[in-house]
Amino acid sequence: MRTFIVDPSITLGKDDQADEFYQVCLNELLRHTDTKPIQNEMILHQSMAQSTDKDIIIFFNRMDNNYSASFVTFLREAVHVGTKFYPISITSDHRIPPKCIPDPQSYDVKDALERRKLTNLQIKTIAIAVARDAVSILQPTLTRRNMALFLSHRRSDGEEIAGGFYDAMCLRAQNRFRDLSDVLVGESAQEVIENNLRKSDAVIFLDTPQSGESPWIELELKMALSMNLPIVWVKLGEETNRVNLRIKPADSPHFSEPSVDLGLRQVEQNLVDSVIHKAFEISREKAMSIFGHIQRMRELDRNGKIAIETLSEQSYLYQVKIPRNGFRYVQRPMTHVVSFYGRIPKYDDRVIFNDSIIEHGYSKHPRLGHIYDAAIILAPMASQNNQDLVEDPHFVDSCDEYVASLELYSRGQQPSFTQKNGVIISGAFPDCEPEYQQALWNALCAFVQAIVDRSGTVIFGAHPTFQQVIFDIAKLRRPEDYKKAVHMFISKHFVTQATIEENTSYATVTGTDQVDNDRGKSLTAMRKAMINHENAACMVVLGGKTQRPGIPPGVDEEIELARTRNLPVFLIGSVGGRTAEIASGLQSAGWQSMPNHFPVEFNQELMVSPDYAVLANKILDSLGI
């Protein structure tokens, strides 16, 4: 699966507008997919016959259709193997593509600008849209051209501005859910909100000054964070008289527009485009997690626990055979056909999935039925109602849930060889752009799920946003003993005894006394109590604030306390922040001071790998948890 993008100089000659479009489109493609730029005649000749039916070629039409012989040959070679084409009409006079390609439809830049009410100065917006479109054509299960976006807003001061966003998204054909217009009278609002969140690719949080007092916004953010849904935080309105948010989706907003008029049902089109683009970026980054899940399956395959056959690289479609255990006679293995999705599957994906299964020889026998045990669309989260999408034995399940079930089945009821099964999680939002803070959420969810699934205990210091996510994951995965699964430490310097008692409904909670009414000393006391937890087997460090004058990073103190107690410390460097700094420093020093007793190669993998579920399993396996 590759994108070839042809420099406009090859077809148009010198054209400043096309050059700008090309560069922006190329940069966007390079961020999301394997891309080969064809920048001159030599590279064009070298690229002859390289494309396949899984690739796409983006190029600019000429007005007179008078293309060079080498370019026409390049296109004809691609037509022969079934390559997809994406011709671009930079003006209305360039709409007719070369006669040798089968599809005469071109992407009309001028028309796209007009339909979006944009000017020629905003051509970069269209270039990015073209790149996104090409990515979704190449990898249809990873991304979708029209995203399903959930608009979270406060009615009292955000109704008009939310209406403006809603209208603008309608013009762009973005699917959207807004509780004011989509929740019907008499329905359970919480149930409808949850169902629509499960159908959404991302949440657009319109944070107006009164958002902090809305229990519905708090509920929506809690649900979205627990589902690990990407959230684009758009802060609107002035800072004065703003109610503080109880739940923050990141350390800082993605967009801040203090001067916007909240009383008007209109929004700057550039802002809407930027917000949608940011949602796509974050969703695309989140979608990359499926590669970690696939790697986990391949680990099981390499270890002889299951057998995998790749059916379609483009659709991430696999046959999975799982040995049946514990019966007197030899049995055929369970057979699953699974397709990984980096986005929420829509209704039409059912047809594509079923057709793909039949295409690969899995037709239903008229008397014996299906030759597989289950066909499963694996999505970022499970569907609450599988019957809405597929028929038995077809299901929609969570990628992580499915792979975790394979891992659990392959492990069996193995006795733990360590008496301690508690994992301390240390960290905070790293000092990076908000969209890159999604990595922290991905890592946090992966580690908490792995620990809880293995009957371990998550040990951590209270954090107003993180704790709710940890509580929800534990209650979902360990409903019988979720309080035992989580042990939270919290300093009385920050909260009252009533708050501590309130949190005991969700977890085991230890409140530590404040020291001399001093923030730093009180935090140290809490950290010492947490690190000295009798069940702690190790500490995992995620993110954290970087070095700031006069403010020592909290993770540094926690690492020092853990090493004093001889607890192994695992630095997950790809999350960024202080953890990345520490891991990089150890790497530069040749790992002379090891944070744990594991090999250098393993610590290097922890430093760079973004496959957090894989890392969590390796750490827990090594400790016998």
Side-chain angles (χ1 to χ4, degrees):
M1 296 176 291
R2 187 160 53 159
T3 301
F4 295 82
I5 180 167
V6 181
D7 192 294
S9 63
I10 291 177
T11 56
L12 291 177
K14 181 62 176 173
D15 187 305
D16 291 341
Q17 191 176 47
D19 288 342
E20 181 183 28
F21 189 102
Y22 166 82
Q23 196 58 56
V24 173
C25 189
L26 172 61
N27 290 341
E28 183 73 5
L29 287 168
L30 288 170
R31 297 180 63 186
H32 301 301
T33 191
D34 183 12
T35 303
K36 180 173 182 178
I38 299 177
Q39 297 167 316
N40 52 51
E41 286 287 336
M42 180 180 294
I43 298 175
L44 181 66
H45 281 283
Q46 292 171 348
S47 303
M48 296 286 184
Q50 284 190 4
S51 64
T52 71
D53 61 344
K54 296 180 175 61
D55 300 331
I56 191 168
I57 297 174
I58 301 174
F59 64 91
F60 294 82
N61 294 336
R62 282 184 67 88
M63 185 166 54
D64 57 8
N65 232 273
N66 186 23
Y67 299 94
S68 68
S70 57
F71 182 69
V72 172
T73 302
F74 170 70
L75 294 182
R76 284 175 174 164
E77 292 280 357
V79 169
H80 181 69
V81 296
T83 303
K84 301 174 184 66
F85 296 97
Y86 205 115
I88 297 171
S89 167
I90 200 69
T91 73
S92 300
D93 296 328
H94 294 75
R95 287 176 177 167
I96 301 175
K99 297 175 182 178
C100 60
I101 67 172
D103 189 352
Q105 188 67 37
S106 296
Y107 187 95
D108 191 325
V109 174
K110 183 176 184 296
D111 180 63
L113 286 167
E114 290 175 351
R115 284 189 290 109
R116 295 190 181 210
K117 308 299 182 187
L118 301 176
T119 70
N120 287 334
L121 297 177
Q122 295 165 299
I123 197 170
K124 292 181 179 180
T125 301
I126 305 303
I128 291 170
V130 165
R132 284 176 48 186
D133 205 24
V135 168
S136 65
I137 292 170
L138 272 183
Q139 299 167 310
T141 69
L142 274 187
T143 56
R144 193 177 181 89
R145 284 175 250 185
N146 291 336
M147 301 174 67
L149 301 175
F150 184 105
L151 280 178
S152 176
H153 70 287
R154 177 76 164 123
R155 291 189 185 185
S156 60
D157 64 342
E159 183 174 334
E160 292 301 323
I161 196 74
F165 270 91
Y166 185 89
D167 295 342
M169 289 177 181
C170 288
L171 286 174
R172 289 157 178 76
Q174 297 288 337
N175 298 319
R176 69 276 162 211
F177 171 78
R178 185 165 69 98
D179 62 2
L180 181 63
S181 60
D182 289 5
V183 176
L184 302 179
V185 176
E187 291 184 307
S188 166
Q190 179 173 343
E191 183 179 344
V192 173
I193 288 169
E194 182 173 358
N195 287 341
N196 279 282
L197 280 171
R198 287 185 175 276
K199 298 174 185 175
S200 300
D201 296 301
V203 173
I204 308 299
F205 170 37
L206 303 180
D207 176 17
T208 49
Q210 295 178 26
S211 293
E213 64 185 24
S214 169
W216 289 110
I217 283 183
E218 183 179 346
L219 176 65
E220 289 165 3
L221 292 178
K222 283 181 179 178
M223 285 183 177
L225 289 170
S226 297
M227 296 174 184
N228 200 17
L229 264 178
I231 301 174
V232 179
W233 181 4
V234 186
K235 193 172 185 179
L236 303 168
E238 298 178 353
E239 286 294 331
T240 54
N241 300 320
R242 182 176 286 271
V243 181
N244 291 331
L245 295 171
R246 291 188 61 186
I247 297 292
K248 289 185 177 182
D251 201 36
S252 59
H254 298 84
F255 300 93
S256 184
E257 298 289 337
S259 60
V260 69
D261 190 339
L262 301 178
L264 296 179
R265 190 181 176 119
Q266 62 183 47
V267 189
E268 283 288 334
Q269 299 305 303
N270 282 344
L271 176 60
V272 176
D273 284 329
S274 297
V275 168
I276 293 174
H277 175 57
K278 188 64 67 180
F280 176 80
E281 280 189 321
I282 301 173
S283 298
R284 177 71 186 174
E285 191 69 26
K286 176 68 171 62
M288 294 299 182
S289 66
I290 74 166
F291 298 115
H293 300 313
I294 293 170
Q295 183 182 335
R296 291 162 66 191
M297 281 209 319
R298 294 198 185 283
E299 287 280 341
L300 293 173
D301 180 62
R302 280 192 289 269
N303 293 329
K305 303 295 185 180
I306 62 175
I308 300 173
E309 179 185 346
T310 302
L311 302 177
S312 169
E313 291 183 352
Q314 186 176 21
S315 300
Y316 303 105
L317 186 69
Y318 302 90
Q319 175 187 272
V320 182
K321 290 196 172 183
I322 308 138
R324 299 180 194 268
N325 301 321
F327 194 67
R328 178 182 178 90
Y329 305 108
V330 175
Q331 296 185 79
R332 294 177 180 175
M334 288 181 280
T335 301
H336 296 167
V337 180
V338 301
S339 182
F340 284 85
Y341 277 65
R343 57 175 174 80
I344 303 299
K346 311 304 178 189
Y347 185 82
D348 58 339
D349 290 313
R350 172 181 64 86
V351 178
I352 297 171
F353 181 57
N354 289 345
D355 289 348
S356 183
I357 290 173
I358 294 171
E359 181 184 323
H360 286 88
Y362 294 92
S363 299
K364 184 177 181 180
H365 190 277
R367 185 168 64 86
L368 301 178
H370 296 288
I371 61 174
Y372 47 79
D373 296 282
I376 313 167
I377 294 176
L378 297 175
M381 66 188 76
S383 170
Q384 285 190 315
N385 186 356
N386 279 300
Q387 301 309 315
D388 287 346
L389 289 169
V390 288
E391 298 175 356
D392 186 62
H394 295 185
F395 305 94
V396 177
D397 200 2
S398 152
C399 296
D400 183 69
E401 292 281 355
Y402 176 75
V403 180
S405 69
L406 291 179
E407 292 167 339
L408 181 62
Y409 183 80
S410 68
R411 283 198 303 269
Q413 299 299 319
Q414 296 180 354
S416 172
F417 55 81
T418 179
Q419 293 182 345
K420 297 181 178 181
N421 65 354
V423 177
I424 301 169
I425 294 183
S426 168
F429 282 118
D431 296 320
C432 62
E433 293 298 316
E435 57 265 34
Y436 298 113
Q437 293 177 4
Q438 180 66 41
L440 178 64
W441 287 118
N442 296 343
L444 179 69
C445 290
F447 274 91
V448 172
Q449 288 174 10
I451 296 163
V452 170
D453 285 351
R454 293 174 180 238
S455 299
T457 302
V458 178
I459 304 166
F460 71 103
H463 185 289
T465 300
F466 295 166
Q467 66 195 48
Q468 189 61 49
V469 173
I470 294 172
F471 294 162
D472 289 346
I473 291 174
K475 191 168 186 178
L476 176 66
R477 303 176 92 90
R478 296 254 296 272
E480 301 299 323
D481 68 339
Y482 58 89
K483 293 183 185 180
K484 181 182 176 182
V486 177
H487 195 150
M488 182 176 77
F489 287 78
I490 188 167
S491 173
K492 295 177 183 177
H493 179 82
F494 301 99
V495 299
T496 63
Q497 184 63 33
T499 300
I500 293 174
E501 291 174 0
E502 179 184 339
N503 283 313
T504 58
S505 300
Y506 310 104
T508 302
V509 182
T510 297
T512 58
D513 293 331
Q514 63 170 319
V515 180
D516 299 335
N517 203 29
D518 182 274
R519 180 183 185 276
K521 291 180 180 179
S522 299
L523 279 173
T524 296
M526 185 207 72
R527 288 167 178 152
K528 286 181 177 179
M530 178 179 71
I531 301 300
N532 287 323
H533 192 289
E534 61 182 5
N535 196 32
C538 71
M539 183 165 77
V540 172
V541 189
L542 309 170
K545 301 297 182 186
T546 52
Q547 291 275 17
R548 289 170 291 175
I551 306 177
V555 297
D556 287 48
E557 183 178 23
E558 291 177 5
I559 290 171
E560 183 180 349
L561 290 169
R563 297 307 294 140
T564 300
R565 201 190 155 202
N566 291 321
L567 284 178
V569 174
F570 300 99
L571 304 170
I572 312 303
S574 65
V575 174
R578 181 59 181 155
T579 308
E581 287 183 343
I582 295 171
S584 298
L586 293 173
Q587 169 85 349
S588 299
W591 297 96
Q592 294 180 13
S593 176
M594 294 291 288
N596 52 61
H597 57 278
F598 293 91
V600 168
E601 294 76 18
F602 182 56
N603 282 283
Q604 288 174 328
E605 183 181 1
L606 297 180
M607 183 178 74
V608 299
S609 174
D611 296 325
Y612 304 118
V614 175
L615 299 181
N617 282 330
K618 287 186 175 182
I619 290 171
L620 298 178
D621 283 343
S622 67
L623 295 171
I625 297 175

